[in-house]
Amino acid sequence: MSHATVPPSAEPTTELPPGVADLTKRLRERGIEPAARTTVQATERGVADLSTGTVRQPVVEQMPSRSAALVGGAARTAATTWIGAASLVRKIWDYEQAGEFAAAIRQARDLERAGGDVAELEALVVQLRAERRQVQHARHREPATILGAATATGYAGALVGIASAWSLALVVPALLPLWLLMYVAGRRELADRERPVVIPGQVVEQATAVVEAGGEEHPFGYERITAALRDIKVISKDQTIRPIGLPMPDEHGNLWIEFELPAGVIAETLRSRAQMFAGALGLPMSRLDVMVGSAEGEVRLWIAMEVPFSGPAAVSMLVSAARWSVWDGVPFGVTRKRERKTLDLLWSSMLFGGAQGFGKTTAMRLAAASAVLDPYCRLLLADFKGGADWEELEQIAHTAIIGADPRSVDAFVRLVDELIDEMDRRFAKIRAMPKAKRPDMRLTPEMAREDEDMMPMLLLIDEIQEVFGALLPRPADKEFDIPSGKKQVELLVEKLARLIRRGRACGLIVIASGQRPDAESVPTAFRDVILTRYSVHTVDDTSSDMILGDGAAKRGVSAAKLGRIGIGALMEPTGGEIVQPDLITPQQFEEICNRGRRLREEAETLTGHAAGWEPEGPEGVLGQLLDAFDAAGNPDRITTADLAPLLARIAPDVWQPQALGVRADDHEAAKKAVGELLAKRITEEVPEARRFKSKQWTKDGGGRGFFLADIQAAAGIAPE
């Protein structure tokens, strides 16, 4: 083939920002531009190509002979091997000589030529060269370097020995592994050269921002930082900072700057004055973060190039997810650094709080939705607000308690008791397993898959302060063995704390919310065992700390006066930060719940309330009497006087003195009222053929009450 070519036309000159490297040079260095020219030249018809300056002539193809093909193949193999050898040598040399520092030094020189601070950049170059020497010495002493040198020396010695002892002909097979290694390296190098290089505009924009960040006039340059440090008295007027590397943008467009403070000044001093430092730079605190570097005097400075959370919240990925697994955590939102935040609630549970109307329920939907879309997670709902926020969950929930009336509160207390029993049952089952199957005595995905009775359970409690508020006013009654409301709250808090503290290891998750959970409305003993907390806007740091934990505001995490819907403070065991949760609208949540029901129907895991299951055992007065006998140990008979306190504990809204319309201290009147109400309800609820009444079993009338066999017969239960 023959091609007529003309010299390429003069390359267009594009004015680049000062200090920005011309990436087209790199294209020529890697052979991409010549490869492009060769491709154009091999086309069928020749027309002028203005981008390469190539005139393409008609192609005359000639079939190569077999010998020519063999020679060409051998030549290509030899060329590839030679390229691989050169590539290996270059990479080894570049690593051992810490070549990555050379690029940074060249960039510093470019900045100097572009008009940067000469003294500052000269100091940077000196520092980079010193660091390069340190890295070189360290790499020369690495075991891999020593082993590689010893292997190469031994291999060369073996080749010499083979040639001396036998003949040069035997050296050729011994060289095959080395040739193969060089050939593979050559193929990789050629593949790298052919890989397209994408140069998006954002790279140039970020490079421009980096260059500007090092200049004197940029608001975040080293000169400006030094002036700000002097303004807030962290350093004196005759002290300055020493840059570490160059300012660099991260993948989100934020700026990272590292520098070393003068001798005797530590980074913690600057951290303690971060608010003043932000003001001196003309930034709100939300756009600045001060961190300690690898040494006490080194500072890592993060600066947001845009105001955090200035855009709308992202739509949650759960909206479009076909299904989810609680083992994968909750995709929650983004931090002010635009980093994704995923919560692992399976081991921590969660408390939501803050002022009404600032997005607390919206954030809570994220945790709920992750469980809704997992057909192997059982949901338990306790909505004491009784509004429309969670009505979609009722079609999925195994248990649904709605409202804060006495019956709902008592049902919740019983549910907590049942969950504690469930927790004990699960731990007993885990203990009985072989040790290889129960690492750390925790539930595992394998356990949950193999046993449906071990699937994770999520208890959602909305406005938990309503439970404690409903219990507190209840009076004590010693005659009926009923503790005071305060004592009932203490007992419930103790049970909830035990459930949260231990239950998370066996798959029991609790997420709760409250308006302003102070020491009375939501006791500290309950809040302290919840490890993950989220708060929307609060009026002050005190209110924020009641949700996020004591001392959170002093550690720099507070929801006080956030004043924005959809923004909140998140506190985890590892620390806290301000976040913007993803968005799930009420309409989207309804669709998620519909999807969750279909998933459970397909997996045959729809149970309890959502499946229309009826409560076990008889309802009404017969059920209450049987529960009372069960609480007493199922004796064959119980007097009406002894039944009264048992019934008051089972259904206080019906059988407590105040519910009966008598004074709590008038025990005789209370006993009489219990007897009269029992007789009335038995007459109304029990069929005529099975009607029973209280009986007297002593002649003097001292024993009058009910027999267990009579109640079981009326309920259609065979005596045990």
Side-chain angles (χ1 to χ4, degrees):
M1 287 183 284
S2 63
H3 301 281
T5 61
V6 297
S9 59
E11 296 181 2
T13 58
T14 302
E15 188 70 22
L16 295 176
V20 176
D22 184 359
L23 296 182
T24 58
K25 294 180 180 179
R26 180 59 175 161
L27 302 182
R28 291 191 292 274
E29 290 173 1
R30 294 178 62 181
I32 295 176
E33 185 178 335
R37 293 178 185 276
T38 302
T39 302
V40 171
Q41 291 168 355
T43 55
E44 294 180 356
R45 298 291 180 186
V47 294
D49 186 333
L50 300 179
S51 64
T52 61
T54 302
V55 177
R56 294 171 289 184
Q57 299 291 341
V59 179
V60 180
E61 297 186 1
Q62 179 180 357
M63 295 297 294
S65 65
R66 184 175 181 182
S67 59
L70 291 174
V71 171
R76 286 193 297 272
T77 301
T80 301
T81 305
W82 174 254
I83 292 172
S87 173
L88 285 174
V89 171
R90 184 176 66 253
K91 288 178 180 179
I92 293 173
W93 177 261
D94 190 61
Y95 176 78
E96 291 298 321
Q97 298 301 316
E100 63 269 23
F101 282 86
I105 293 172
R106 284 196 300 271
Q107 191 173 5
R109 292 299 189 195
D110 289 341
L111 288 172
E112 184 178 334
R113 286 191 293 271
D117 188 315
V118 175
E120 185 178 288
L121 291 171
E122 281 294 338
L124 176 60
V125 170
V126 172
Q127 177 212 344
L128 288 173
R129 286 175 174 170
E131 291 179 0
R132 182 180 186 179
R133 285 193 294 271
Q134 293 176 359
V135 172
Q136 287 174 345
H137 293 324
R139 290 179 179 178
H140 293 164
R141 294 191 296 269
E142 285 179 349
T145 302
I146 297 172
L147 180 62
T151 302
T153 303
Y155 188 68
L159 292 177
V160 173
I162 291 172
S164 301
W166 289 282
S167 68
L168 289 174
L170 293 177
V171 175
V172 175
L175 285 172
L176 283 177
L178 180 61
W179 285 338
L180 180 60
L181 176 63
M182 292 188 296
Y183 179 76
V184 171
R187 290 294 300 270
R188 288 186 177 180
E189 177 68 16
L190 290 174
D192 287 342
R193 293 179 180 181
E194 293 173 1
R195 187 176 294 117
V197 177
V198 180
I199 313 175
Q202 185 180 4
V203 173
V204 177
E205 292 174 5
Q206 291 183 348
T208 304
V210 169
V211 173
E212 291 178 350
E216 292 183 10
E217 302 303 323
H218 196 279
F220 308 135
Y222 290 115
E223 290 294 326
R224 183 70 189 91
I225 291 173
T226 302
L229 292 173
R230 290 170 179 167
D231 289 343
I232 64 173
K233 310 300 185 193
V234 171
I235 63 176
S236 63
K237 292 184 178 181
D238 58 344
Q239 290 180 316
T240 187
I241 60 175
R242 184 177 68 86
I244 300 176
L246 296 172
M248 294 297 294
D250 62 16
E251 58 184 315
H252 306 296
N254 304 311
L255 192 64
W256 288 91
I257 301 174
E258 295 188 56
F259 56 87
E260 184 178 0
L261 293 167
V265 183
I266 61 175
E268 283 296 338
T269 303
L270 179 56
R271 278 173 55 87
S272 65
R273 303 182 189 179
Q275 188 77 43
M276 299 170 60
F277 184 48
L281 288 173
L283 295 172
M285 192 59 201
S286 61
R287 292 183 58 185
L288 181 73
D289 198 2
V290 181
M291 291 158 282
V292 180
S294 57
E296 288 186 348
E298 293 182 3
V299 176
R300 297 191 70 223
L301 194 63
W302 172 85
I303 299 176
M305 303 307 289
E306 296 179 359
V307 177
F309 313 130
S310 54
V315 176
S316 172
M317 65 179 67
L318 297 172
V319 171
S320 58
R323 63 186 296 164
W324 198 259
S325 172
V326 294
W327 297 94
D328 294 333
V330 179
F332 194 69
V334 295
T335 69
R336 63 193 176 101
K337 295 180 181 178
R338 300 183 185 178
E339 297 169 342
R340 292 294 307 170
K341 175 62 68 172
T342 299
L343 306 180
D344 192 0
L345 294 189
L346 199 60
W347 313 118
S348 67
S349 293
M350 191 166 184
L351 175 66
F352 293 80
Q356 192 172 6
F358 281 88
K360 180 179 60 201
T361 301
T362 302
M364 203 172 176
R365 281 195 202 112
L366 295 163
S370 66
V372 168
L373 291 175
D374 187 343
Y376 296 99
C377 179
R378 182 168 292 170
L379 280 98
L380 311 171
L381 173 63
D383 180 9
F384 295 109
K385 184 164 54 180
D389 290 336
W390 305 108
E391 60 182 357
E392 297 87 359
L393 274 184
E394 294 185 47
Q395 62 175 313
I396 296 170
H398 177 81
T399 300
I401 300 171
I402 310 298
D405 58 277
R407 187 181 295 273
S408 297
V409 171
D410 295 328
F412 178 72
V413 173
R414 290 195 296 273
L415 174 62
V416 173
D417 289 335
E418 292 169 5
L419 288 175
I420 288 178
D421 292 340
E422 171 69 11
M423 177 180 67
D424 293 337
R425 182 193 69 79
R426 291 189 175 206
F427 276 123
K429 203 163 189 175
I430 293 174
R431 279 195 299 271
M433 294 179 180
K435 287 188 176 181
K437 288 189 174 183
R438 51 178 174 93
D440 303 325
M441 279 296 290
R442 282 188 171 195
L443 182 71
T444 65
E446 292 73 25
M447 293 181 197
R449 281 196 299 267
E450 293 173 2
D451 188 347
E452 188 176 304
D453 290 336
M454 297 290 281
M455 69 170 60
M457 300 174 70
L458 184 142
L459 171 60
L460 188 152
I461 312 170
D462 195 19
E463 305 298 356
I464 192 171
Q465 75 278 354
E466 298 294 334
V467 181
F468 304 125
L471 287 174
L472 275 174
R474 293 185 177 182
D477 192 325
K478 294 182 180 179
E479 179 70 19
F480 287 91
D481 195 23
I482 300 172
S484 67
K486 183 178 180 181
K487 183 64 176 177
Q488 291 181 50
V489 170
E490 291 176 359
L491 292 172
L492 178 60
V493 168
E494 180 185 342
K495 292 174 183 178
L496 281 169
R498 183 149 49 102
L499 179 66
I500 294 170
R501 188 169 51 247
R502 297 186 60 233
R504 56 178 175 248
C506 63
L508 302 182
I509 312 164
V510 176
I511 61 174
S513 74
Q515 292 291 341
R516 183 181 183 272
D518 54 29
E520 291 187 2
S521 64
V522 181
T524 305
F526 171 75
R527 289 180 281 133
D528 285 351
V529 295
I530 298 181
L531 304 181
T532 303
R533 308 175 188 187
Y534 175 79
S535 176
V536 296
H537 168 82
T538 61
V539 295
D540 52 32
D541 286 340
T542 301
S543 298
S544 176
D545 280 1
M546 287 177 182
I547 303 166
L548 302 177
D550 293 339
K554 291 183 179 179
R555 297 195 298 272
V557 184
S558 175
K561 301 178 181 178
L562 286 175
R564 283 188 57 191
I565 298 175
I567 302 294
L570 176 68
M571 178 61 74
E572 297 180 278
T574 55
E577 53 198 324
I578 305 299
V579 298
Q580 182 178 40
D582 296 337
L583 180 64
I584 298 179
T585 65
Q587 295 75 21
Q588 291 168 340
F589 187 66
E590 181 179 9
E591 174 53 34
I592 287 173
C593 290
N594 294 337
R595 202 179 314 149
R597 182 177 177 91
R598 291 194 296 269
L599 288 170
R600 283 164 175 76
E601 289 172 341
E602 294 169 1
E604 299 182 349
T605 55
L606 194 68
T607 58
H609 173 83
W613 288 5
E614 295 294 332
E616 296 183 1
E619 295 183 350
V621 68
L622 289 178
Q624 292 171 354
L625 285 169
L626 287 172
D627 287 344
F629 269 83
D630 185 62
N634 286 319
D636 65 337
R637 68 192 76 179
I638 299 179
T639 65
T640 303
D642 290 336
L643 273 174
L646 295 170
L647 290 170
R649 286 201 297 271
I650 292 167
D653 57 315
V654 177
W655 300 105
Q656 280 193 2
Q658 61 267 31
L660 295 169
V662 299
R663 297 198 317 270
D665 57 351
D666 191 346
H667 303 302
E668 291 301 323
K671 292 177 185 177
K672 182 180 179 181
V674 169
E676 291 174 352
L677 183 57
L678 274 173
K680 179 182 178 182
R681 292 189 61 179
I682 289 170
T683 302
E684 293 174 348
E685 298 179 24
V686 181
E688 184 69 27
R690 291 182 176 179
R691 183 173 296 163
F692 67 95
K693 296 181 180 180
S694 64
K695 297 179 179 179
Q696 180 176 318
W697 50 77
T698 60
K699 291 182 180 180
D700 59 3
R704 187 172 186 83
F706 295 85
F707 285 86
L708 177 59
D710 290 343
I711 301 173
Q712 290 174 333
I717 300 173
E720 295 181 0

